[in-house]
């Protein structure tokens, strides 16, 4: 499944990414990206949804992905707990945050580095 993102029109909401192919396309399209690795049934992950929406509306490009849908992602990005937030720049992971619930201002500051 090919996914197309538009670098000229960054999304103003979190984008759900289906698999590693979509993740790679997403992080290579935009210069700075915040990706949440989550799992279904994770209460903290669910509580992050409105926070992520606010961060996206503030101008941060946000993607979400469930690594259980593409298991090699767990090892590739060393996902030991969820939610884990990984900051990408120019397609490469540059920072990570895995502290459970993260308030909006703190997450936005992390995403904007």
């Amino acid at each position: 499944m090919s996914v197309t993102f538009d670098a000229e029109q960054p999304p103003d909401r979190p984008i759900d990414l289906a698999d590693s192919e979509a993740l790679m396309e997403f992080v290579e399209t935009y210069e700075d990206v915040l990706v949440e690795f989550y799992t279904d049934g994770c209460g903290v992950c669910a509580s992050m949804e409105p926070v992520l929406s606010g961060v996206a509306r503030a101008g941060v490009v946000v993607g979400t992905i469930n690594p259980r849908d593409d298991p090699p992602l767990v090892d590739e990005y060393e996902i030991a707990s969820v939610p884990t937030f990984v900051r990408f720049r120019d397609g490469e992971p540059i920072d990570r945050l895995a502290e459970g619930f993260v308030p909006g201002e703190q997450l936005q500051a992390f995403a904007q580095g």
Side-chain angles (χ1 to χ4, degrees), residues 1-110:
M1 175 177 120
S2 181
V3 180
T4 304
F5 299 106
D6 183 354
E8 300 299 316
Q9 295 277 326
D12 62 355
R13 62 181 177 78
I15 302 299
D16 191 34
L17 305 166
D19 55 25
S20 60
E21 179 183 340
L23 174 63
M24 287 291 80
E25 176 81 21
F26 188 69
V27 301
E28 290 174 358
T29 298
Y30 306 103
E31 183 178 341
D32 288 301
V33 174
L34 177 68
V35 175
E36 177 200 34
F37 290 82
Y38 73 94
T39 57
D40 293 330
C42 165
V44 175
C45 300
S47 70
M48 287 303 304
E49 287 180 22
V51 174
L52 289 168
S53 292
V55 169
R57 283 191 305 276
V60 175
V61 176
V62 177
T64 63
I65 190 163
N66 185 342
R68 288 188 180 166
D69 293 340
D70 196 342
L73 290 171
V74 173
D75 291 332
E76 183 175 350
Y77 293 101
E78 300 174 2
I79 306 302
S81 64
V82 290
T84 292
F85 302 95
V86 178
R87 190 171 149 222
F88 290 81
R89 177 167 289 143
D90 298 323
E92 296 297 322
I94 60 167
D95 205 356
R96 62 188 299 114
L97 187 63
E99 300 176 0
F101 183 86
V102 181
E105 287 182 9
Q106 181 183 347
L107 190 60
Q108 186 168 339
F110 168 76

